[in-house]
Amino acid sequence: MVSPAIALAFIPFVFSLLIRYRHYFWLFYRAVLVRCLRDYLTGIPKEDRAFQYIMTHAIPGDPLHILETFDQWSYHCEYLSNLGPQKAKILERLIYEKAPLTVLELGTYCGYATIVMAQALPLGARLCTVEMDARKASVAEKVIRLAGFDDDMVEQVVGPSEEVIPQLKEKYRLFQVDFVFMDHWKRCYLRDLQLLEAHDLLPEGATILADNVIFPGAPHFLQYVKACGKYKWRIHRTSLQYFRGIRDGMAQITYTGLQ
């Protein structure tokens, strides 16, 4: 049995840990504990609860207001791992700068980043967004249509990215991709980038923007991008969406086609 003196000696250490990692403890509380409790009490997944809030508070056909309503929910109600306003500005600026005609999104989630890109795309552009979770895809589909984007502009594909990417040319008539946004499982970033290369889907100058490369991180992806000689790269330093105390970043890479 631990003596009271030894237990007291650990109090400053525990207290310092709580102070140092308070943002991570708060993230765990909001993202895990609150979600589990509300899932149990309501019997409704958090993404569906968020959509109910959007339906009640957002203006249909107004993409910016829908994004703002998502932010209000994520700041004040329940945490959602949406892109968030800080990172959305980076993504939106790149879409305006690059003016891509074909965009591939890997990881639709609730459709937040999809809306950010769709409202910034040039006339006649096409966005294909891939989500492996059918329930989340259903929420995203409703959000995207609520924002006013139809199937001609935003096409949603439900399925694992490693199965969808090899089918993009034949099944989805997407022969090259000018811009790729990655925000799905971080361990899949490298695999899917190499799939895009293997199937000749990246034209010279194509831009890939990958989220969360610092937290939770995608080290193998970054190592490959830096070492393979095919890409120019830079890191946009940000914070985790809705948590300014947690450092994060987005990797912007440009395909040069060189080896």
Side-chain angles (χ1 to χ4, degrees):
M1 188 173 182
V2 179
S3 69
I6 295 176
L8 287 172
F10 274 97
I11 289 178
F13 174 70
V14 173
F15 186 72
S16 66
L17 281 180
L18 289 173
I19 294 297
R20 182 174 182 179
Y21 296 105
R22 63 191 183 279
H23 300 294
Y24 299 92
F25 287 122
W26 184 239
L27 174 62
F28 177 77
Y29 170 76
R30 292 200 64 211
V32 179
L33 298 183
V34 171
R35 183 203 69 201
C36 291
L37 177 62
R38 293 188 176 176
D39 283 355
Y40 174 76
L41 292 176
T42 65
I44 303 172
K46 67 175 180 178
E47 292 82 12
D48 292 276
R49 294 194 294 273
F51 180 69
Q52 291 177 355
Y53 184 86
I54 296 298
M55 286 294 291
T56 304
H57 295 84
I59 301 172
D62 188 336
L64 295 180
H65 193 262
I66 289 173
L67 295 176
E68 290 171 2
T69 308
F70 259 127
D71 292 334
Q72 288 296 314
W73 169 268
S74 299
Y75 276 124
H76 303 297
C77 299
E78 291 185 65
Y79 176 77
L80 285 177
S81 54
N82 289 324
L83 191 64
Q86 182 189 22
K87 293 177 178 179
K89 290 179 182 178
I90 296 171
L91 176 59
E92 182 181 51
R93 175 174 55 79
L94 284 175
I95 293 292
Y96 278 126
E97 285 180 3
K98 306 298 181 181
L101 293 178
T102 51
V103 177
L104 175 66
E105 180 183 25
L106 301 177
T108 317
Y109 192 47
C110 291
Y112 186 106
T114 316
I115 292 175
V116 171
M117 292 186 285
Q119 57 89 29
L121 284 173
L123 188 65
R126 180 185 174 199
L127 193 164
C128 179
T129 180
V130 181
E131 173 58 52
M132 68 173 295
D133 188 307
R135 180 181 54 78
K136 293 173 183 175
S138 176
V139 173
E141 176 80 15
K142 291 181 284 190
V143 169
I144 293 165
R145 305 313 168 205
L146 184 69
F149 302 109
D150 59 23
D151 287 323
D152 292 333
M153 185 173 190
V154 179
E155 179 180 5
Q156 186 172 51
V157 179
V158 181
S161 55
E162 70 270 24
E163 295 179 8
V164 174
I165 291 172
Q167 299 177 326
L168 285 175
K169 287 186 177 181
E170 287 191 12
K171 188 172 181 179
Y172 301 102
R173 314 303 292 171
L174 198 63
F175 299 102
Q176 285 191 321
V177 183
D178 301 322
F179 192 99
V180 181
F181 179 57
M182 293 184 171
D183 196 15
H184 54 326
W185 291 106
K186 314 316 161 194
R187 65 176 181 268
C188 299
Y189 282 12
L190 176 56
R191 180 202 67 196
D192 289 349
L193 180 64
Q194 291 175 330
L195 277 174
L196 290 167
E197 293 173 359
H199 290 274
D200 195 27
L201 285 159
L202 297 176
E204 185 177 343
T207 299
I208 298 96
L209 185 67
D211 193 17
N212 303 123
V213 295
I214 295 177
F215 183 85
H220 298 298
F221 170 80
L222 290 180
Q223 183 181 21
Y224 173 78
V225 165
K226 294 174 183 179
C228 71
K230 301 176 185 177
Y231 298 95
K232 296 178 181 178
W233 63 275
R234 63 168 295 190
I235 302 295
H236 297 274
R237 300 286 176 173
T238 67
S239 58
L240 184 67
Q241 48 269 33
Y242 311 117
F243 278 89
R244 292 196 174 274
I246 299 178
R247 293 189 305 117
D248 196 9
M250 306 174 84
Q252 176 189 340
I253 66 176
T254 303
Y255 184 63
T256 64
L258 302 175
Q259 296 189 38

